[in-house]
Amino acid sequence: MTGNKQQDVNALQWDANMIVPGAAGDGLTWYAALADPFQVAGFAWLAADQTYRRLPVRPEYPVSDAVDSLANCTSGGQIRFRTNSRRVAVRVRLSGTPGMYHMPATGEGGVDAYIGLPGSMVYAGTARFPSGQDAYESEVYAGTDEELRQFTLNLPLYKGVKELWIGLEDGATVTGPIPYESPKRVIFYGTSITQGGCATRPGMSYTNLLSRRINLECINLGFSGNGKGEPELARLISAIADPACLVLDYEANCDTERYCRTLPEFISIYREAHPSVPLVVVSRIVHGGEVHRPELRKNRLERLHFQRELIRKLQEAGDTQLFFVDGSDLLGEEPAEATVDGVHPTDLGFLLMANGLEPVLRNVLSKGGL
């Protein structure tokens, strides 16, 4: 990396109480993650807006205030690069202070790191920072040799990132990552579960798990409590270039009436723009409360029947690139045991979801030549 790509980290005015004990310390050169040769992935409108945001800064179609705010959460965002540095650290300024009652700060506002290429990635470390802070510095990898490695840093699931700097050993080599196998992207649209609630660290959301197995860029458009199948979101998602596949996983944010109304329209809008892009509809996972509230199960089964029939009819009408996954099977025989609160998966729950969805995605993508 040439000197003009290095940034003056002192301009950030990091003060002593932003630095945690045992943090990165001296001997590092700091680089802005938005600068070359780092690759920022997971933000479909990054080229236009140059910001860590999951929707356009000025959407062409109106979105609710809640969706607009949640779009600043960086779920699915990744920084990819290669370096021979024996240390990798991050300096992060968040949009707010982590503090969710049912989700660790490491998932809500942290960064974790992996080494290697999709299919053979190995966990490298997680940022450590004290509670009550909206900025931190932390080492995410410490090794012993100067081998050139490919790193992927997963960004916070439930906070926005205002600034992100990467610290590498002084004099270390840093280059761009080995490219994905294709410029096409896998797009996920859904709920808080899609967004990553309540993974203990970013790499454990099911979309990030799948990104470590499938060598394509993944776009996470999960909106906590607000992935409701609005036609405006369907049109915005339709504008994302180079889709390899679209996964719709938003049932959990809808009652039966809304879901039965929005799903056909959402599919129709997307099909107008992308007649042959594979589209996977995933019904919601089983909530732990169903054993105590039979009406929850009844309503879920009503929507499950509706989805099966809708997909069958559209397939019979000629949509050969439309697929359905019964999400009630994803968490196994004891679904509540794989959740935090009967609804949101733990890391185990997300692992089970990824294990169930991976063969479906591989099959769908192979039909599209990937």
Side-chain angles (χ1 to χ4, degrees):
M1 173 179 273
T2 57
N4 62 358
K5 294 298 184 183
Q6 300 179 18
Q7 306 293 318
D8 181 9
V9 75
N10 292 326
L12 286 176
Q13 297 181 341
W14 296 87
D15 59 50
N17 57 19
M18 290 181 181
I19 309 302
V20 305
D26 297 328
L28 300 179
T29 300
W30 293 90
Y31 304 92
L34 286 172
D36 291 336
F38 299 96
Q39 180 191 44
V40 181
F43 301 103
W45 290 271
L46 179 72
D49 294 335
Q50 287 298 297
T51 187
Y52 304 108
R53 180 173 159 87
R54 296 184 296 149
L55 288 178
V57 171
R58 295 177 180 82
E60 183 179 356
Y61 303 97
V63 300
S64 70
D65 290 344
V67 168
D68 186 68
S69 176
L70 288 163
N72 292 317
C73 301
T74 53
S75 182
Q78 297 178 334
I79 312 296
R80 293 168 17 105
F81 57 97
R82 284 181 290 168
T83 184
N84 65 349
S85 179
R86 294 169 297 181
R87 299 166 64 202
V88 176
V90 293
R91 275 177 168 169
V92 181
R93 193 185 299 280
L94 301 172
S95 60
T97 303
M100 296 172 70
Y101 79 93
H102 59 348
M103 185 171 179
T106 45
E108 185 183 357
V111 172
D112 65 7
Y114 280 80
I115 294 172
L117 300 178
S120 60
M121 285 189 176
V122 177
Y123 169 74
T126 303
R128 300 173 63 186
F129 53 97
S131 61
Q133 293 188 181
D134 62 2
Y136 58 86
E137 174 186 311
S138 180
E139 197 168 75
V140 293
Y141 171 74
T144 58
D145 61 73
E146 296 182 354
E147 177 185 348
L148 189 66
R149 300 174 175 88
Q150 177 146 318
F151 282 84
T152 299
L153 307 183
N154 296 296
L155 302 190
L157 300 173
Y158 267 78
K159 287 298 175 191
V161 170
K162 291 184 175 181
E163 296 174 277
L164 176 62
W165 302 75
I166 297 172
L168 306 176
E169 284 186 301
D170 294 340
T173 297
V174 57
T175 69
I178 296 172
Y180 294 111
E181 67 178 77
S182 167
K184 292 185 175 293
R185 285 92 73 86
V186 180
I187 306 163
F188 298 86
Y189 172 70
T191 67
S192 55
I193 295 171
T194 314
Q195 187 173 334
C198 295
T200 59
R201 53 184 177 82
M204 292 309 297
S205 74
Y206 84 80
T207 67
N208 280 339
L209 277 159
L210 289 169
S211 79
R212 294 200 290 278
R213 304 176 183 185
I214 296 171
N215 193 12
L216 297 171
E217 182 179 9
C218 292
I219 306 292
N220 185 313
L221 296 175
F223 298 104
S224 181
N226 288 276
K228 298 182 178 180
E230 303 96 324
E232 293 81 5
L233 266 294
R235 294 186 175 95
L236 285 170
I237 292 171
S238 296
I240 297 176
D242 296 320
C245 173
L246 171 63
V247 179
L248 297 182
D249 180 23
Y250 75 90
E251 179 197 340
N253 278 169
C254 298
D255 59 23
T256 300
E257 184 279 328
R258 184 182 187 106
Y259 194 64
C260 292
R261 171 169 48 86
T262 60
L263 183 60
E265 183 179 15
F266 202 111
I267 293 172
S268 176
I269 290 170
Y270 197 76
R271 278 290 175 251
E272 289 176 11
H274 303 285
S276 59
V277 169
L279 197 159
V280 180
V281 175
V282 182
S283 68
R284 79 159 172 83
I285 59 175
V286 175
H287 291 177
E290 287 189 11
V291 68
H292 309 293
R293 297 175 58 191
E295 73 276 11
L296 294 178
R297 183 175 186 274
K298 176 179 177 292
N299 292 337
R300 177 178 59 81
L301 292 178
E302 287 177 354
R303 293 190 294 272
L304 181 61
H305 175 73
F306 163 74
Q307 290 170 87
R308 288 189 186 279
E309 286 300 300
L310 174 65
I311 301 306
R312 180 185 63 80
K313 290 176 181 177
L314 292 174
Q315 289 171 337
E316 290 178 351
D319 194 337
T320 61
Q321 293 298 306
L322 185 61
F323 306 89
F324 177 69
V325 175
D326 184 352
S328 61
D329 296 331
L330 292 176
L331 296 189
E333 296 181 358
E334 296 184 86
E337 297 303 297
T339 70
V340 172
D341 52 6
V343 176
H344 298 92
T346 61
D347 290 356
L348 170 62
F350 281 127
L351 181 63
L352 292 171
M353 290 184 70
N355 289 347
L357 291 172
E358 180 185 0
V360 176
L361 282 182
R362 289 196 181 279
N363 177 56
V364 165
L365 293 169
S366 69
K367 294 179 183 295
L370 294 171

